[in-house]
Amino acid sequence: ESIPSANTLSCPTRMVSDCTGGLWVCDTNNNRVLHYPSGKNNTADFVIGQSDFVSNSPSASYTGLDHPKGIAINLDCTSLWIADRGNKRVLQYDLPLMQSAGQIAASVLYDIESLQDINGTNANNTNTNLEGNIYPEDLSYDPTSGYLWVVDSENNRVFGGVVFTGNIMCDLLGQ
């Protein structure tokens, strides 16, 4: 296994292109998401989930990730969502990012253990049909409906809806 850097990956799982032609990649075993600018550049310019490009410790803080598995971006590239599987939550980041490392999530869209928004206040939990922990495996943004869909593999379900501050209005498939 290689030492983390701005040009190494360890178990990349999902990726999504952004409006600039850049590529966001879930670097799952390094507990981070990397952004590669457009063009033939193999060096990342942004890292989410770590304080620098050479760290890879899992963290449940709002700057950390633990085995990110899925990623999605909205049509106008103002929001990036990450399925933070190890922490059983989905995080949202505002784009463009303001710093190359140590980025703080703008909101926690679904975290059953805390049900709080990023500021620590109680979120208005309208997810009454979602019980127990979530295990986010993948994400998909539907530009037609504005829905963010979450694959919750261990609960054999998919849920999604229109994202709003600190929460997501849910439709549920599979249960």
Side-chain angles (χ1 to χ4, degrees), residues 32-54:
R32 65 187 187 174
V33 171
L34 297 175
H35 177 263
Y36 294 90
S38 64
K40 295 182 179 181
N41 189 340
N42 67 348
T43 302
D45 59 349
F46 288 98
V47 59
I48 296 174
Q50 299 297 324
S51 59
D52 54 45
F53 287 95
V54 297

Side-chain angles (χ1 to χ4, degrees), residues 4 24-35 46-68 71 80 82-84 87 89 91-93 97 99-105:
W24 293 92
V25 179
C26 288
D27 186 13
T28 301
N29 285 351
N30 281 325
N31 302 299
R32 65 187 187 174
V33 171
L34 297 175
H35 177 263
F46 288 98
V47 59
I48 296 174
Q50 299 297 324
S51 59
D52 54 45
F53 287 95
V54 297
S55 299
N56 68 352
S57 298
S59 173
S61 74
Y62 291 125
T63 59
L65 295 171
D66 184 355
H67 289 83
I71 191 165
L80 177 78
I82 297 174
D84 187 14
N87 288 317
R89 63 187 183 183
L91 299 173
Q92 183 261 325
Y93 295 84
L97 296 179
Q99 56 197 47
S100 62
Q103 188 70 35
I104 297 173

Side-chain angles (χ1 to χ4, degrees), residues 24-170:
W24 293 92
V25 179
C26 288
D27 186 13
T28 301
N29 285 351
N30 281 325
N31 302 299
R32 65 187 187 174
V33 171
L34 297 175
H35 177 263
Y36 294 90
S38 64
K40 295 182 179 181
N41 189 340
N42 67 348
T43 302
D45 59 349
F46 288 98
V47 59
I48 296 174
Q50 299 297 324
S51 59
D52 54 45
F53 287 95
V54 297
S55 299
N56 68 352
S57 298
S59 173
S61 74
Y62 291 125
T63 59
L65 295 171
D66 184 355
H67 289 83
K69 297 282 277 187
I71 191 165
I73 194 166
N74 66 347
L75 191 59
D76 63 359
C77 295
T78 57
S79 289
L80 177 78
W81 295 280
I82 297 174
D84 187 14
R85 184 171 172 83
N87 288 317
K88 303 174 187 136
R89 63 187 183 183
V90 176
L91 299 173
Q92 183 261 325
Y93 295 84
D94 292 332
L95 296 178
L97 296 179
M98 295 298 149
Q99 56 197 47
S100 62
Q103 188 70 35
I104 297 173
S107 63
V108 179
L109 297 183
Y110 194 80
D111 180 354
I112 191 69
E113 292 179 0
S114 69
L115 291 176
Q116 294 182 345
D117 67 19
I118 198 71
N119 298 314
T121 57
N122 289 332
N124 294 324
N125 182 21
T126 59
N127 301 321
T128 55
N129 56 345
L130 295 178
E131 296 178 2
N133 288 323
I134 66 165
Y135 299 90
E137 186 75 26
D138 199 9
L139 304 172
S140 180
Y141 178 77
D142 177 2
T144 304
S145 66
Y147 271 34
L148 177 68
W149 290 99
V150 179
V151 174
D152 184 4
S153 58
E154 291 192 30
N155 289 307
N156 301 309
R157 62 188 177 190
V158 173
F159 63 89
V162 177
V163 176
F164 64 98
T165 305
N167 217 327
I168 185 170
M169 293 292 291
C170 282

